[in-house]
């Protein structure tokens, strides 16, 4: 089997991953009826990247599988964005209306509060003396009851307060430690992405490397490709920062990022297997960076899933 066939197989496998990539997140949003876990800036950058990616692939006349992926990227992103907008704007209003209708009826009639029955003056005067005596006896009994409580509450053990203070301190220390580790991991992702860019430049333009035929390099498609690559990589940062601020990945689907990583890896492999000619690789470099560069930031999100869920389990054990 030649490399061209393998390139197509990996390309179609990548398409398969991207076909189902948003399904877990769509299902997560549907079951929760909430999309607060997804950063809208993350999706916005992703959609803009898909638009530039599509036009760049068309103008550069790249692989057919790349064109299919670009079209599906845009469709799936718009579908997820539509769900986010629906659950943040339309659904809350409809839910409130349904609650109002269920509680007060579809007719929209106003609530009528019952008026207190007016008591006659004779009843009032006859009951005033008895009510005053009952009130005084009730106050005396209440004061004795309070004295009894004050005497016995001092005997309660103070272990409950000390335990709650200890658990609160432990949770705070764990939170600070988690935030520090996530910061370091995120910084390492940025450094790794920068290293990838430098290594790519050295590979094509370093000493002793093969010359790239720049006559096959087209300015506008390449600018679109590089624009999409930068947007793809930057898109993860708002999601990472939102997770960091909330110290939670609740509402975010882990399988979505798993499929994204597998799809991006197979996508890059399909391009490399097609040809290793320096000119061909240089023309496809924006799409290689756009897919491969996001892996570093996706791994940061994986790490957030691990750290925040581990910390949540520790908090539960501490507070029990």
């Amino acid at each position: 089997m030649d490399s061209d066939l393998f390139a197509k197989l990996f390309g179609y496998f990548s398409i398969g991953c991207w076909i189902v990539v948003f399904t877990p997140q769509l299902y997560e949003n549907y079951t929760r009826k909430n999309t607060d876990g997804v950063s809208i800036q993350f999706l916005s950058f992703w959609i803009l990247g898909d638009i530039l990616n599509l036009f760049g692939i068309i103008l550069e006349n790249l692989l057919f599988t790349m064109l299919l992926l670009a079209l599906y990227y845009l469709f799936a992103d718009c579908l997820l964005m539509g769900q986010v907008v629906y659950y943040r704007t339309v659904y809350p209003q409809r839910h409130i209306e349904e609650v109002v209708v269920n509680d007060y009826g579809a007719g929209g009639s106003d609530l009528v509060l019952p008026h207190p029955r007016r008591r006659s003056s004779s009843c009032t005067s006859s009951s005033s003396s008895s009510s005053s005596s009952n009130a005084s006896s009730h106050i005396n009994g209440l004061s004795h009851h309070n004295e009894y409580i004050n005497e016995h509450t001092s005997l309660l053990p103070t272990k409950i307060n000390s335990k709650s203070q200890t658990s609160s301190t432990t949770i705070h220390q764990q939170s600070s430690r988690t935030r520090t580790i996530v910061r370091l991991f995120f910084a390492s992702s940025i450094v790794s992405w920068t290293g990838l860019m430098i290594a790519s430049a050295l590979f094509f333009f370093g000493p002793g490397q093969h010359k790239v035929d720049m006559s096959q390099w087209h300015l506008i498609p390449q600018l679109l490709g590089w624009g999409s690559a930068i947007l793809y990589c930057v898109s993860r940062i708002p999601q990472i920062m939102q997770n960091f601020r909330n110290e939670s990945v609740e509402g975010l689907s882990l399988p979505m990022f798993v499929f994204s990583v597998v799809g991006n890896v197979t996508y890059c492999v399909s391009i490399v297997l097609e040809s290793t000619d320096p000119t061909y690789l240089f023309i496809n470099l924006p799409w290689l960076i756009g897919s491969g560069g996001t892996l570093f930031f996706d791994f940061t999100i994986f790490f957030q899933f691990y750290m925040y869920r581990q910390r949540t389990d520790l908090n539960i054990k501490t507070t029990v």
Side-chain angles (χ1 to χ4, degrees), residues 17 77 86 98 112 114 134 137 191 203 257 265 267 313:
C17 291
D77 287 346
Y86 173 77
E98 290 176 0
V112 179
N134 290 336
S137 61
V191 171
F203 176 80
F257 290 95
V265 169
Y267 182 77
D313 295 339

Side-chain angles (χ1 to χ4, degrees), residues 247-273:
E247 297 188 42
S248 172
V249 289
E250 184 179 0
L252 202 60
S253 174
L254 177 61
M256 178 180 71
F257 290 95
V258 172
F259 283 121
S260 175
V261 167
V262 176
N264 280 326
V265 169
T266 52
Y267 182 77
C268 292
V269 171
S270 68
I271 294 176
V272 174
L273 287 178

Side-chain angles (χ1 to χ4, degrees), residues 6 22 57 61 63 74 113 149 165 254 281 304 317-318:
F6 274 115
F22 287 121
I57 289 174
N61 194 25
L63 292 175
L74 194 57
L113 297 177
I149 292 176
Q165 292 175 357
L254 177 61
L281 292 178
Q304 286 181 320
K317 292 179 181 178
T318 305

Side-chain angles (χ1 to χ4, degrees), residues 1 3-21 62-70 72-73 259 262-271 273-274:
M1 298 178 70
S3 60
D4 184 63
L5 180 58
F6 274 115
K8 287 183 171 58
L9 289 176
F10 275 97
Y12 286 117
F13 187 81
S14 179
I15 292 175
C17 291
W18 284 106
I19 286 176
V20 298
V21 66
L62 298 180
L63 292 175
F64 180 68
T65 54
M66 296 173 67
L67 177 62
L68 291 179
L69 274 178
Y72 187 77
Y73 287 165
F259 283 121
V262 176
N264 280 326
V265 169
T266 52
Y267 182 77
C268 292
V269 171
S270 68
I271 294 176
L273 287 178
E274 183 71 19

Side-chain angles (χ1 to χ4, degrees), residues 193-264:
W193 184 84
T194 305
L196 175 64
M197 298 295 293
I198 295 173
S200 300
L202 292 176
F203 176 80
F204 291 106
F205 301 106
Q209 299 299 326
H210 298 286
K211 295 293 183 180
V212 176
D213 184 6
M214 297 301 294
S215 63
Q216 300 184 37
W217 191 85
H218 305 104
L219 179 61
I220 294 179
Q222 288 293 314
L223 289 177
L224 293 173
W226 279 109
S228 67
I230 293 173
L231 287 170
Y232 283 149
C233 295
V234 170
S235 67
R236 267 61 170 181
I237 296 178
Q239 186 65 61
I240 292 171
M241 297 307 297
Q242 176 174 306
N243 299 342
F244 181 78
R245 286 192 301 268
N246 298 336
E247 297 188 42
S248 172
V249 289
E250 184 179 0
L252 202 60
S253 174
L254 177 61
M256 178 180 71
F257 290 95
V258 172
F259 283 121
S260 175
V261 167
V262 176
N264 280 326

Side-chain angles (χ1 to χ4, degrees), residues 282-294:
F282 184 71
I283 292 173
N284 285 271
L285 184 60
W287 289 270
L288 288 170
I289 295 295
S291 295
T294 59

